[in-house]
Every structure is written in C-alpha cells, then in structure tokens.
Amino acid sequence: IDTKDDTLKSLSELKGEKATLIMFICNHCPFVIHVNEEIVRLANDYAKKGVSFIAISSNDVNTHPQDGPGFMKQHAKENNYPFPYLYDKTQEVAKNYDATCTPDFYLFDKELKAVYHGRLDKTRPGSGSVANGKDLRKAIDGLLLNSPTNSTQIPSMGCNIKWKN
C-alpha cells in the first residue's frame, strides 16, 4: 500500500526506465535515520537518469506502531521522500526478497534482473562519518554505464525486520 494515497501499487507501475532500487526501511531504525538524507540525495540524483526508487516498510506494527502507515506518511513528508514509501502489511514482499534488515538495498536493471544486493556504504550511526552512498552509487553507475557491477557486495547492516509471530 502506498502511504501517499493508500492505493495498491505494482512493481510494473513503479519500475524505472533504466533501473529500479528497492529499499527496505522503517521509521525507527537508527541505521535508516542515519542514511535518510543520503537516500533522498540518491533518489534525487538518479531519478532524472531513469532510476526509480521504492521504499518498503515490512515491520510488524503491533510491536512497532511507529512504523505503521500513518507514521510512515508523516515520516516521508518530514524527510522529503521523493519516492513511494510502501507498507508491506502481510510481510510477503520482505519474505519474497529475503530481506532481513533495515536498511536493505536491492538494485534491478530495466528488465528487473537483480544486479546488486548490499549496503549503502560503510558508515554507521555513531561513527562520526556522514553517509555518502559510495557502494550503492558505484553499483547504480555501473549499471547505467553498462559496465559490470562490482561482484563484491557487502551485506547491509541495520535493525532486523520485526516479524509477526
């Protein structure tokens, strides 16, 4: 469900002309909070190059109500998200992607073939460094330039997805 207008969206509706980035995020995770500004910069930088960004929250709102759709709308507005922020009520989307944490990044080419699954960059909350998206930018640039994506993909680190019992 798209938190902007409460409608169901399909991947075919949201995919990019040249690439699609799916991000599993949530409102409360310190790792996501740390990279919010950079994911907004990334989306703004690459949207004009044919890359679509899609954010998904799959957390159980019974245990983490701050990650529910109402709060997601507010969070997206406060952080100027230029991309849809979708709520995965059944958690099936996260399960189908084998998503395990927030943030978690999945990059697909124009045919929706997976080309990257990994971290944004090496920065962490409390590290004193600012997120720059280096790893993900390298993967997106490689895809757009038709050069092989780095085969070394370092997994994301963050808060685990809050699964329903």
Side-chain angles (χ1 to χ4, degrees):
I1 298 173
D2 189 338
T3 60
K4 287 183 183 178
D5 58 16
D6 296 324
T7 60
L8 290 173
K9 298 286 184 176
S10 70
L11 184 54
S12 61
E13 289 177 85
L14 298 173
K15 75 178 198 144
E17 178 187 331
K18 296 183 180 176
T20 303
L21 181 75
I22 295 177
M23 307 172 283
F24 287 89
I25 65 172
C26 69
N27 298 345
H28 84 277
C29 173
F31 289 84
V32 175
I33 293 166
H34 181 71
V35 301
N36 261 327
E37 288 182 23
E38 179 57 20
I39 63 175
V40 168
R41 271 192 298 275
L42 273 165
N44 287 327
D45 290 349
Y46 287 100
K48 55 190 163 233
K49 297 178 181 181
V51 181
S52 175
F53 283 65
I54 303 164
I56 301 171
S57 178
S58 298
N59 280 349
D60 180 0
V61 296
N62 292 317
T63 59
H64 290 77
Q66 67 271 43
D67 291 333
F71 292 109
M72 289 170 62
K73 285 181 188 181
Q74 180 182 343
H75 185 80
K77 186 175 183 177
E78 289 170 357
N79 287 281
N80 297 309
Y81 283 178
F83 44 77
Y85 189 16
L86 310 177
Y87 177 55
D88 177 18
K89 182 178 181 178
T90 65
Q91 299 185 314
E92 289 302 312
V93 176
K95 289 175 184 173
N96 288 335
Y97 281 84
D98 289 327
T100 58
C101 67
T102 59
D104 208 356
F105 300 93
Y106 296 78
L107 179 63
F108 300 88
D109 67 13
K110 65 182 177 182
E111 304 299 326
L112 296 176
K113 177 185 170 206
V115 296
Y116 180 83
H117 174 211
R119 69 184 188 180
L120 178 75
D121 58 31
K122 68 179 182 178
T123 188
R124 301 287 176 262
S127 66
S129 60
V130 176
N132 61 20
K134 182 180 177 181
D135 295 349
L136 189 53
R137 285 178 182 275
K138 184 176 180 180
I140 296 170
D141 289 339
L143 175 61
L144 294 176
L145 295 171
N146 293 318
S147 62
T149 301
N150 182 355
S151 60
T152 304
Q153 298 181 18
I154 300 170
S156 290
M157 177 185 272
C159 299
N160 65 310
I161 291 179
K162 309 309 182 218
W163 299 107
K164 295 178 182 182
N165 292 328

